[in-house]
Amino acid sequence: MLTPIRTRWSAPGGYREFLAIAFPMILSTASWSVQHFVDRMFLTWYSTDALAASLPAGMTNFIFVSLFLGATGYVNTFVAQYVGAGRPERVGPSIWQGVYLSVISVVAGLLVTLLASPIFELVGHDAEVRANEIDYFRILCYGMGPLILSTALSCFYSGRGQTWPVLGVSVASVGFNIVVDYALIFGHWGAPEMGIRGAAWATNGSAFFAVLLYVLLLARPSYRRRFALLSGWRFDHALFGRLLRFGGPSGVNFMLDIMSFTLFILIVGRIGKLELTATNLAFNINSLAFMPLIGAGIGLSTMVGQRLGADDPDAAEYCTVTGLHLALGYMGLMALAYVLLPDLFLMPYGIGAQGPEFGPARDLARKLLRFVAFYCVFDAGFMMLTAALKGAGDTRYVMYASILLALGIMVVPPLIAVELFDASVFVVWIFICAFLAAGCGTFYLRFRGGKWRSMRVIEAAPLLEEIEP
């Protein structure tokens, strides 16, 4: 039994190589999870209304952010395939196309702020919760541009498999956020007490800080010479078009995934404030396990992209199986912890929590964590398989399949169940479990079908002209 493990550990594309690339990204995205966890914990200490508003408003904002985040983050695949093909001079131009997308996102963020009041008035949550939702959403929209820009710049490292600098920037920006968050929410150290608005401004500030750090890191002369980081600044119509062709569906898919989960939360909110708060708690806790999977997915996309850039689809498949092994093992352990030790995860929220509402919300969240334990293993397969398909360029299939699954399982049926049949929160949560199980199976079949093996997102290398003697 141990022999296959030892063999895969040391083989190219095995556990050791995967962890060397993915582990810093796992820690990086885990640091985002810590940021959200601490942010929600501070808001729990501040008021339950702020907590109830933070997740719906934050996820609604992320619907718009994710469109650009998914598209810009796809620069990672371009960089990986160019590196695998031995064409480093195309890395800089790829990064710059992501920078241009971030400029567009600034305008989009300002326009989206105009939708804050109509969106949350339509949702129909309690008046105090709604006021917090509008403030939080609007301020987060102002920080869309820096967040997208930092994502584009990070692809220079993640796409080449050099992921430790990404971790360093993430940890530094999260530390910045936590300190500023505490100061602005509660009014410490001479800062004004801003509550949920302070949490939003702290998040924006950390995005600006991350951009500054990346600019300093990318200023090395060796990067400019080898990867054309400055000389590749021009807008490349063909390259930008391919980024939209492949990254666009990735962005739309990411956006629709977030939208589906947001609509799910809003549907739960129509059952009651207690159910909404408990669902927020369960999802916040699950982010501790889910966010590292995003980092693992980025690492897997990089490995798949590099192998396909080098025209080695068999090696890309081997990398995918490696990623699946590790992700399923990790989420299996988390599932056991959610079932056996739920109070370990809920305890930090109870420290300093204000109001009598938290006790019942905690008790309900404890039960909802059993649903999380069931679906998180399927979520691991879902994440790794879609990461591999996206690393190859199979983004349109992922987008279309995700749309059908989300609407057909996670959004429309629970809405009907709540509005027409007065369904309980437990009935509604069954649908999210069904969605992730069906998605995992769908993308497994797509991967086994093998169409992705012939896909590439980069153009063919130009032929070298023969030099006459």
Side-chain angles (χ1 to χ4, degrees), residues 51-371:
L51 173 64
S54 61
L55 190 59
M59 291 191 70
T60 303
N61 166 263
F62 202 64
I63 289 173
F64 299 99
V65 171
S66 59
L67 175 62
F68 290 94
L69 197 63
T72 306
Y74 205 75
V75 171
N76 180 82
T77 297
F78 279 82
V79 172
Q81 291 200 15
Y82 278 128
V83 169
R87 301 171 63 191
E89 75 282 356
R90 295 295 288 164
V91 169
S94 299
I95 299 297
W96 275 101
Q97 307 318 302
V99 171
Y100 294 131
L101 266 179
S102 73
V103 173
I104 297 173
S105 74
V106 173
V107 179
L110 294 176
L111 293 175
V112 168
T113 60
L114 303 176
L115 302 176
S117 295
I119 288 174
F120 294 103
E121 288 174 2
L122 179 64
V123 169
H125 290 167
D126 292 346
E128 292 182 3
V129 173
R130 183 167 67 248
N132 283 320
E133 287 171 334
I134 292 171
D135 286 342
Y136 194 59
F137 174 84
R138 183 179 288 124
I139 295 170
L140 287 178
C141 287
Y142 297 144
M144 187 183 298
L147 177 60
I148 303 305
L149 178 55
S150 67
T151 300
L153 299 178
S154 72
C155 291
F156 173 76
Y157 291 104
S158 61
R160 295 185 302 119
Q162 304 296 316
T163 49
W164 285 103
V166 180
L167 173 61
V169 172
S170 295
V171 170
S173 61
V174 167
F176 178 92
N177 175 268
I178 291 173
V179 173
V180 177
D181 210 29
Y182 185 73
L184 293 182
I185 290 175
F186 300 103
H188 292 303
W189 308 318
E193 181 182 335
M194 301 177 68
I196 196 170
R197 292 181 294 112
W201 282 118
T203 299
N204 292 349
S206 68
F208 276 105
F209 186 62
V211 169
L212 175 61
L213 293 177
Y214 276 123
V215 169
L216 293 174
L217 287 172
L218 293 174
R220 294 173 59 178
S222 60
Y223 289 163
R224 296 199 298 268
R225 290 192 300 269
R226 184 180 180 192
F227 299 104
L229 282 182
L230 283 184
S231 60
W233 67 269
R234 293 176 179 81
F235 182 79
D236 187 325
H237 292 276
L239 184 55
F240 190 78
R242 283 200 308 280
L243 178 58
L244 293 182
R245 177 186 171 190
F246 293 101
S250 180
V252 171
N253 173 56
F254 195 14
M255 180 184 71
L256 291 176
D257 280 348
I258 301 300
M259 184 181 296
S260 298
F261 276 90
T262 303
L263 290 174
F264 179 85
I265 290 171
L266 297 178
I267 291 168
V268 171
R270 297 187 71 83
I271 299 175
K273 184 176 177 180
L274 171 63
E275 290 79 4
L276 175 62
T277 303
T279 295
N280 285 350
L281 284 169
F283 276 162
N284 287 334
I285 291 169
N286 187 46
S287 70
L288 292 171
F290 172 77
M291 295 299 285
L293 279 183
I294 296 178
I298 295 171
L300 179 57
S301 289
T302 297
M303 294 176 71
V304 169
Q306 289 180 352
R307 265 64 177 189
L308 291 179
D311 289 324
D312 193 350
D314 289 337
E317 181 174 355
Y318 191 86
C319 295
T320 303
V321 174
T322 295
L324 278 170
H325 286 174
L326 294 175
L328 290 171
Y330 164 71
M331 280 304 235
L333 292 175
M334 292 302 299
L336 288 175
Y338 289 147
V339 172
L340 300 177
L341 303 168
D343 289 332
L344 178 65
F345 299 98
L346 288 164
M347 181 176 60
Y349 290 96
I351 300 173
Q354 300 295 319
E357 302 92 345
F358 180 76
R362 178 193 56 210
D363 294 339
L364 180 55
R366 189 182 294 116
K367 297 176 182 178
L368 295 181
L369 283 176
R370 297 172 188 171
F371 288 87

